[in-house]
Amino acid sequence: MGHMELINLKDVKKYYEMGSQVVRALDGIDIAVNKNDYLAFIGSSGSGKSTMLNILGCLDKPTSGQYHLNGKNVEILDQNELSEIRNLEIGFIFQSFNLLPRANALDNVMQPLIYRSVGFRQRKNMAMEALSRVGLEDRIDHLPNQLSGGQRQRVAIARALVTHPSILLADEPTGNLDSRTTVEIMQLFDQLHDEGHTLIVVTHENEIAQHCHRIVEMKDGKIFSDTIAQRSKIEATA
Ligand code: ADP
Ligand code: MG
């Protein structure tokens, strides 16, 4: 079962009509992602990376083409089924962390569990477990503005992990972090990959991409190249 397929896209297109113009954000994407892949989407601004991640994460639907996630045809799911699949299968990590500013670390991490039919005690235990996995068990009472940038991103990663998703999707996760904290976060991703998670990271930074095992370069909404990375540990330059 070493190559179980999680994601399969066939001729996926995402077009936006802007007045008389059509923006081809994704323009015929074919890709398969296996369980425990560690993949970077790289490419210049506007090449379609975030659109790709939003479609993979079921936040958005393709204009045409097929998307199978864990063997399920995403196309035929309604909004309820889509949000259920999102909640069960997918953890999101964003550049801007997207934490609730007035909620402490623990409450932020418990938040995705609110819609689950599990009691408060179990939600708290699950959140504590996720926070200790990212090394923040001693910061659970801190508000986001009482944490460093790297710690905020760790809270956001714990929030993504708390539902035990099969896939972690990260859009420019280190874009707001200094180089030392970037190394810390990438080491955490390495560890999550070693533990069996599937990681898909969007970045425009080559040294982040080189940390992943597979690099898919996008250009004008198309896949330009899909290669195995020559693993090079990124080092702090600070
Ligand atoms: P990247 O993340 O690689 O910078 P995006 O996926 O955000 O690229 O955008 C790809 C293209 O699609 C860009 O030309 C962008 O302007 C366009 N685009 C993205 N989202 C929308 C939208 N909601 N409406 C119209 N055009 C969009
Ligand atoms: Mg983007």
Side-chain angles (χ1 to χ4, degrees):
M1 296 296 285
H3 292 286
M4 201 181 87
E5 195 170 273
L6 263 188
I7 284 171
N8 192 301
L9 301 189
K10 281 214 166 66
D11 199 22
V12 163
K13 296 177 178 163
K14 181 68 182 180
Y15 291 176
Y16 294 106
E17 284 182 35
M18 303 294 286
S20 61
Q21 258 204 325
V22 177
V23 178
R24 296 169 185 222
L26 295 180
D27 198 13
I29 299 289
D30 292 292
I31 193 171
V33 178
N34 290 328
K35 193 168 162 41
N36 200 219
D37 264 2
Y38 191 4
L39 183 152
F41 282 110
I42 194 159
S44 56
S45 172
S47 57
K49 305 183 300 296
S50 292
T51 305
M52 174 76 100
L53 216 64
N54 290 344
I55 288 195
L56 293 179
C58 302
L59 290 171
D60 215 344
K61 278 190 165 194
T63 308
S64 66
Q66 277 94 55
Y67 176 16
H68 284 83
L69 173 59
N70 243 341
K72 284 196 204 86
N73 183 356
V74 172
E75 199 182 348
I76 60 171
L77 303 178
D78 64 27
Q79 281 308 321
N80 284 337
E81 292 168 317
L82 274 181
S83 56
E84 188 177 299
I85 218 172
R86 257 198 322 266
N87 201 258
L88 289 176
E89 307 273 7
I90 297 157
F92 281 100
I93 298 154
F94 301 95
Q95 174 172 1
S96 50
F97 319 135
N98 292 9
L99 299 175
L100 300 169
R102 287 179 193 81
N104 66 25
L106 183 63
D107 288 335
N108 265 289
V109 176
M110 284 173 74
Q111 201 247 332
L113 300 172
I114 285 174
Y115 309 103
R116 298 269 173 108
S117 52
V118 294
F120 175 83
R121 180 113 233 131
Q122 194 187 342
R123 294 207 304 270
K124 187 176 171 183
N125 287 341
M126 290 169 80
M128 290 293 294
E129 185 201 307
L131 279 162
S132 58
R133 288 187 63 195
V134 302
L136 280 184
E137 57 273 39
D138 57 347
R139 292 289 187 279
I140 64 169
D141 294 326
H142 287 233
L143 296 172
N145 69 7
Q146 297 167 329
L147 295 166
S148 70
Q151 288 171 335
R152 284 180 214 183
Q153 192 57 299
R154 281 171 189 272
V155 173
I157 293 168
R159 181 186 55 189
L161 288 172
V162 75
T163 55
H164 299 288
S166 47
I167 309 165
L168 288 173
L169 301 177
D171 197 349
E172 307 270 4
T174 62
N176 283 338
L177 302 176
D178 61 45
S179 64
R180 221 186 95 210
T181 314
T182 293
V183 173
E184 267 174 44
I185 295 296
M186 290 314 292
Q187 284 169 345
L188 179 55
F189 281 179
D190 289 354
Q191 193 187 319
L192 293 173
H193 173 252
D194 288 344
E195 290 170 14
H197 280 93
T198 307
L199 284 100
I200 300 179
V201 181
V202 158
T203 182
H204 63 271
E205 290 173 75
N206 211 9
E207 47 179 0
I208 302 291
Q210 289 298 333
H211 225 254
C212 302
H213 292 190
R214 177 179 171 193
I215 302 178
V216 176
E217 188 182 355
M218 297 193 59
K219 219 170 194 170
D220 300 328
K222 294 186 167 76
I223 291 178
F224 182 73
S225 65
D226 186 344
T227 53
I228 302 300
Q230 322 235 305
R231 293 221 76 197
S232 66
K233 284 267 177 229
I234 53 171
E235 303 293 346
T237 51

